[in-house]
């Protein structure tokens, strides 16, 4: 087994760890049946996310952009979190300091029971008024009106998500970097690690001395910097690590 898939060594590290952050991307929800961005199924009609998840696409054609989000809301609404999400929720109760920093907007970490979740790119069930910024929750599937309008002032509503070319919420991003640089271990799960500024978080953790554990069936720009790199699906790998951790805990309790 090559060093980077050294499970016993990872378990040894985890037994002596209190502070963990996890960065997740679309890949952790892939086994729930939600299309990733850059996989084959990431296409919608003939568009890619980078063409639709932008302010200019929305101002040019709010109806088309809302059709895309309505389609995604429909898929997310019909799926459930998978064992990868549930393992992280379990670890959130096991480790004293445990935060999930997600790039995903599907809300599946919270649905699986994770309580400390930072949503870097927003949430697909939230909308905000383009005029007044009023924030609201809307779980209609399918949307009765496309594009939806603000019940308060009648202006267009937009998804409460961060589009390409838009800045992330400053306080959320600051907290994400602070937690990363204080972590002892950072798991990086199901992300192609190309979208900034999220992709810089693992480097901030590593610079502060954290061990980086990547879980992804494919190599990414982060792989060569990771201390551990498990080539596989998170819905399988995370429960496997959890089972080994439980065994080691029982053994160390004597
Ligand atoms: C910003 C919300 C300041 C919306 C999303 C530097 C260079 C070049 C460009 C930039 C740069 N800095 C900033 C930019 C611009 C841009 C950017 O990074 N572009 C990329 C394409 C290079 N960044 C931004 O615009 C950000 N804003 O920086 O503000 C600024 C302002 C103006 C100009 C410059 C800077 C905002 C980025 C947020 C965009 N919003 N989502 C929505 O969802 O509709 S991004 C979207 O793609 C997702 O949120 C996700 O975060 C992101 C990345 O996708 P992944 O999650 O990684 O998914 P992907 O499909 O790519 O990969 C899936 C992975 O899972 C794969 O590796 C696969 O192997 C793996 N996998 C598959 N199955 C499994 C699995 N893993 C485990 N188990 C499995 N079963």
């Amino acid at each position: 087994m090559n060093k980077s898939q050294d499970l016993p060594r990872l378990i040894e590290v985890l037994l002596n760890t209190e502070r963990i952050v996890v960065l997740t991307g679309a890949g952790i929800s892939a086994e729930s049946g939600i299309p990733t961005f850059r996989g084959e199924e990431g296409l919608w009609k003939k568009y890619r996310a980078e063409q639709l998840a932008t302010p200019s696409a929305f101002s040019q054609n709010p109806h088309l952009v809302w059709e895309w989000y309505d389609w995604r809301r429909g898929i997310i609404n019909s799926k459930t979190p998978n064992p990868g999400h549930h393992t992280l929720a379990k670890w959130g109760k096991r480790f004293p300091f445990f935060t999930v920093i997600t790039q995903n907007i599907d809300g599946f970490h919270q649905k699986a029971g994770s309580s400390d979740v930072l949503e870097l790119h927003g949430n697909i069930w939230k909308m905000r008024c383009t005029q007044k910024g009023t924030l609201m929750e809307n779980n209609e599937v399918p949307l009765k009106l496309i594009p939806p309008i603000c019940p308060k002032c009648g202006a267009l509503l937009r998804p409460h998500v961060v589009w390409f070319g838009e800045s992330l919420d400053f306080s959320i991003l600051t907290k994400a970097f602070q937690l990363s640089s204080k972590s002892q271990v950072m798991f990086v799960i199901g992300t192609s690690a190309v979208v900034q500024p999220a992709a810089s978080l693992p480097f901030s953790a590593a610079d502060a001395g954290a061990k980086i554990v990547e879980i992804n069936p494919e190599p990414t720009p982060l792989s060569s910097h990771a201390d551990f790199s498990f080539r596989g699906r998170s819905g399988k790998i995370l429960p496997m690590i959890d089972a080994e951790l439980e065994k080691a805990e029982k053994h160390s309790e004597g």
Side-chain angles (χ1 to χ4, degrees):
M1 181 189 299
N2 70 44
K3 164 182 94 58
S4 64
Q5 295 209 70
D6 186 343
L7 187 54
R9 198 162 70 82
L10 174 60
I11 298 303
E12 197 48 44
V13 167
L14 293 178
L15 286 174
N16 298 291
T17 293
E18 290 202 338
R19 295 191 312 280
I20 296 183
V21 289
V22 185
L23 175 66
T24 62
I28 196 166
S29 295
E31 286 158 275
S32 295
I34 299 178
T36 63
F37 284 85
R38 288 165 188 80
E40 278 321 300
E41 76 297 355
L43 278 168
W44 176 68
K45 293 187 178 168
K46 55 186 185 304
Y47 299 99
R48 296 213 66 84
E50 285 83 355
Q51 292 172 284
L52 294 173
T54 70
S56 55
F58 186 73
S59 59
Q60 276 158 34
N61 193 338
H63 190 278
L64 175 71
V65 172
W66 267 116
E67 268 190 306
W68 179 49
Y69 280 97
D70 193 41
W71 172 73
R72 290 170 69 190
R73 286 159 57 107
I75 291 179
I76 291 166
N77 186 54
S78 68
K79 308 294 182 189
T80 53
N82 65 63
H85 297 104
H86 289 296
T87 301
L88 295 182
K90 179 180 172 186
W91 287 357
K93 298 172 181 63
R94 181 203 178 281
F95 290 95
F97 304 94
F98 190 94
T99 302
V100 176
I101 302 170
T102 188
Q103 301 174 85
N104 300 338
I105 63 173
D106 57 27
F108 272 20
H109 287 299
Q110 298 92 317
K111 213 168 169 183
S114 287
S115 51
D116 193 356
V117 180
L118 281 181
E119 291 180 314
L120 292 179
H121 297 157
N123 184 295
I124 203 164
W125 301 112
K126 290 181 182 159
M127 300 180 177
R128 71 170 186 266
C129 176
T130 53
Q131 287 309 308
K132 302 250 171 42
T134 317
L135 201 52
M136 58 200 81
E137 187 100 10
N138 173 308
N139 297 304
E140 261 175 33
V141 173
L143 283 169
K144 291 191 187 71
L145 182 67
I146 292 185
I149 54 165
C150 177
K152 286 210 166 71
C153 75
L156 210 49
L157 288 174
R158 60 162 283 174
H160 184 60
V161 300
V162 181
W163 282 329
F164 288 102
E166 291 186 322
S167 300
L168 282 65
D169 175 290
F170 181 73
S171 58
I172 292 175
L173 189 59
T174 307
K175 191 171 175 194
F177 273 102
Q178 280 169 347
L179 288 169
S180 300
S181 55
K182 288 199 190 100
S183 66
Q184 293 165 293
V185 173
M186 180 178 214
F187 282 84
V188 183
I189 304 169
T191 180
S192 53
V194 293
V195 171
Q196 294 296 348
S200 299
L201 288 167
F203 293 97
S204 161
D207 288 350
K211 294 272 184 267
I212 305 298
V213 186
E214 184 180 48
I215 300 175
N216 195 320
E218 307 289 331
T220 72
L222 180 71
S223 302
S224 57
H225 303 270
D227 299 280
F228 299 87
S229 197
F230 293 89
R231 283 276 161 276
R233 294 176 301 134
S234 46
K236 190 167 152 294
I237 302 263
L238 282 169
M240 178 201 58
I241 296 172
D242 184 48
E244 287 306 309
L245 184 59
E246 282 210 341
K247 256 194 266 174
E249 279 168 339
K250 288 199 177 70
H251 184 71
S252 65
E253 280 153 16

